[in-house]
Amino acid sequence: MSPNFRIAFRFLTAKKRAMLMSLSCTVLGVGLFIVTQATTSGFEEFFVKTLLGTDGAMRIEDRIQDTLRSMEVAGSPDFQIRQREGVKYIEGVEEPQVIMDTVRSFANVRGVSAVLRGNVQVSSSFKTEDAQVFGIKLEDHRFVSELERKITTPEGLGKFQESAGSALVGRVLADRLQLTVNESIVINVRGESRRYVVAAIYETGVRDIDKTRIYIDLAEARSLLRKPTGATFLQISLHDPKRARQEAAHMEEVLRHSVRPWQEREKEWLSVFRALSVSSAITVTVFTLIASLAMFNTLAMIVLEKTKDIAILRSMGYERRDITRIFLWQAAIVLAIGAIVGGIFGAAVSWGVSLVPLPINTLFKTEHFIVALSPWHFVQAITTAVVMVMIASLVPARRAARLEPGDIVRGTAQ
Amino acid sequence: MSTSLHAVSAAPVGDFALRCSGLQRYLGQGDGRVHVLKGVSFEARRGQVYAIVGPSGCGKSTLLYLLGLLDQPDGGDIEINGQRMSNRDDFARTAARGAHIGFVFQFHFLMLEFTALENVMMPMRKLGRLTAPEMEARARMLLDAVGLGAKTHRLGTQLSGGEQQRVAVARALANQPSIILADEPTGNLDVKNSTLVFDLLTRLAKDNGQAVILVTHNPEIAQRCDVTRPMRDGLFV
Ligand SMILES: Nc1ncnc2c1ncn2[C@@H]1O[C@H](COP(=O)(O)OP(=O)(O)OP(=O)(O)O)[C@@H](O)[C@H]1O
Ligand SMILES: [Mg+2]
């Protein structure tokens, strides 16, 4: 044990009350940092997971048609610059099979599924609602969404697989139409009506989806919507959804279709979460600021009370930097204990918060507060505390080191 | 290294351990500025015990702080073991304090959160010349020498003023400094203990060739020193 550490430890334990004060501030700072980070990122992660699970990592939508403009470079007729003037989009994917084959060759692609969408009216014996049919090929769509896991009725997807005349209806829509499995609905498009059997009811938790979408087989949708070829969009899932932007840019280049990654599609909501995490970062910064102020205060107090000891130490050959270290060690001891206890405290509170009932059913579905504890939060919390507390401690520590032993013993040190 | 009190010193008796000349010191600011030391010159040989005597407020402590390199003079020179120290930086002066000087303050002697033993070991830990068991053995031996062998594990707060003072004397001897500066080391002590401390200091001076400079108001003690320097109004008379 270094002599400086020994002295620091003894100084600290002699001032138990002040030390406990700054220790509890550090514990609170670290703990609340972890809790706020865990809750904010908990909701965000859950939201992202939900939307990736329903609408995939990206969508290929419209075909791009470049309009090019040629321009003669002054004086030289055989030297021209071709410049992209604007981009024109042609709605939909005209040749889905070709595009799908190409998309599958991308290493990061997990699955791709062609979707044909159309606006319809749906009626039960009870009432009529506006809705959208999504024509899908189940064996493709399985790889791009978690539809299978969102089925709430015990029969599962079996019936939907077997019969072309069956449909998957969202929970909210089913409730509105007072539907249960095996009952029939009538879908009406531009005057033509067809009857389908409800094969299963799904619930994604996203209200907008659950109240509008009816999934039917792609071939059936083609004939219902009278679109024998093409697709409204291709839904793609990725092994690493974080790379969606890069993949999208790459695919756009290769496929000459507009490719929208989920980050762009859900820009508004993601920016809400961004704002949320900034505001929680501010709260958290305030906590750590309080912790470091408490530390500053404690150390400044100990320095004041220990000036005579500083003079004694200096008279015995302890250098200025020893004095600085003695006080920094005190901060370090408080920090070390505070980080460990704060980490445990943060984890415990996060766990407690996750038990708080909080039914949400709009953007996603949950019954409880969502927390996502990650080691990264602990690293962030502790790093922030270390940096702030050490900076705050540096001031009194250096002040202590600057004291002249002669001034102290004469009582004129300030 | 021997843990004996009577280790052999490097330099022969008679050399100057400490010299100062023309020391000037002003204290206070503005109107309260006082010319405390008005050109003090002084030298101390190894193996000799010096007493600085004089009325209260004449500048004895101020001089001792300068000699102990705890304070900086406004004029004049200080030499420790032949090395000029008054113009050196804080680092060099601190190193010299640790290696060559043992200081006993007039008031507040100990670090109160530490035991007597730890207080005595404190300078040794910084110097780092001895192993931990050697340090402890030496500290015990020094505390024994000042009559506190039975109270080594008492905290500073659990010792009387006189006991604290004796621990401070033991601590000043910890690193076998060539110069011992003691500001009224027997001020709080009864006759028996002041004789004990004084005899210890003189014995060390003789056996180890250390220069001992002490401030005292006790005429008997002053009389038993090798040299007595009376001081008045910031000057030796
Ligand atoms: N900070 C200061 N400002 C102004 N004058 C001071 C200051 N500190 C001490 N003095 C003056 O310096 C003079 C010398 O003080 P010093 O402590 O050296 O006296 P001393 O000889 O040790 O006295 P004593 O025997 O009482 O300990 C005193 O007159 C004192 O009033
Ligand atoms: Mg004095």
Side-chain angles (χ1 to χ4, degrees), chain A residues 410 412, chain B residues 27-28 32 34 36 55-62 106 184 217:
Chain A
R410 267 196 308 272
T412 51
Chain B
L27 290 175
V34 183
V36 179
S56 179
C58 70
K60 306 183 293 296
S61 295
T62 307
Q106 186 174 6
E184 297 198 45
H217 286 294

Side-chain angles (χ1 to χ4, degrees), chain A residues 388-406:
Chain A
M388 306 256 287
V389 170
M390 275 321 199
I391 288 173
S393 315
L394 217 55
V395 179
R398 299 195 74 108
R399 208 187 83 88
R402 268 203 314 273
L403 290 173
E404 284 289 343

Side-chain angles (χ1 to χ4, degrees), chain A residues 199-320:
Chain A
I201 292 169
Y202 68 86
E203 183 171 28
T204 61
V206 183
R207 201 177 169 80
D208 271 348
I209 294 176
D210 294 345
K211 76 169 190 225
T212 50
R213 286 189 196 173
I214 298 169
Y215 287 96
I216 60 174
D217 184 64
L218 181 60
E220 179 59 35
R222 287 198 188 291
S223 98
L224 175 71
L225 300 171
R226 295 206 193 106
K227 282 194 185 138
T229 61
T232 315
F233 60 85
L234 302 182
Q235 181 165 329
I236 298 172
S237 64
L238 298 176
H239 293 293
D240 178 10
K242 285 197 200 77
R243 288 188 42 83
R245 274 182 198 284
Q246 293 93 308
E247 299 286 357
H250 188 192
M251 279 186 198
E252 215 161 80
E253 245 351 86
V254 174
L255 304 171
R256 310 303 302 146
H257 277 71
S258 93
V259 183
R260 294 231 291 159
W262 60 274
Q263 293 100 325
E264 199 181 305
R265 191 175 69 216
E266 309 292 343
K267 210 162 40 198
E268 286 84 4
W269 283 116
L270 289 175
S271 67
V272 169
F273 282 109
R274 173 91 28 87
L276 208 66
S277 75
V278 168
S279 94
S280 77
I282 292 170
T283 322
V284 153
T285 312
V286 171
F287 288 139
T288 36
L289 210 67
I290 291 171
S292 43
L293 272 180
M295 196 66 228
F296 175 86
N297 199 36
T298 305
L299 275 193
M301 201 166 89
I302 296 182
V303 169
L304 275 186
E305 281 180 20
K306 292 286 177 237
T307 52
K308 285 171 183 172
D309 296 58
I310 294 170
I312 292 172
L313 285 169
R314 299 276 283 129
S315 79
M316 298 187 306
Y318 283 75
E319 297 152 31
R320 284 190 201 279

Side-chain angles (χ1 to χ4, degrees), chain B residues 85-133:
Chain B
M85 296 309 299
S86 37
N87 58 346
R88 302 293 296 278
D89 62 9
D90 185 78
F91 188 81
R93 285 150 23 95
T94 306
R97 284 200 293 268
H100 303 303
I101 298 171
F103 204 97
V104 183
F105 289 101
Q106 186 174 6
F107 309 107
H108 53 78
F109 314 102
L110 299 189
M111 297 177 66
L112 297 175
E113 287 87 15
F114 294 82
T115 64
L117 194 70
E118 287 169 325
N119 265 283
V120 178
M121 287 169 74
M122 203 79 77
M124 300 191 240
R125 286 210 174 106
K126 175 58 196 169
L127 198 63
R129 271 194 206 142
L130 304 179
T131 65

Side-chain angles (χ1 to χ4, degrees), chain B residues 191-204:
Chain B
V191 178
K192 177 173 158 266
N193 276 309
S194 69
T195 312
L196 181 86
V197 166
F198 183 75
D199 286 350
L200 175 65
L201 291 173
T202 23
R203 199 167 74 235
L204 287 172

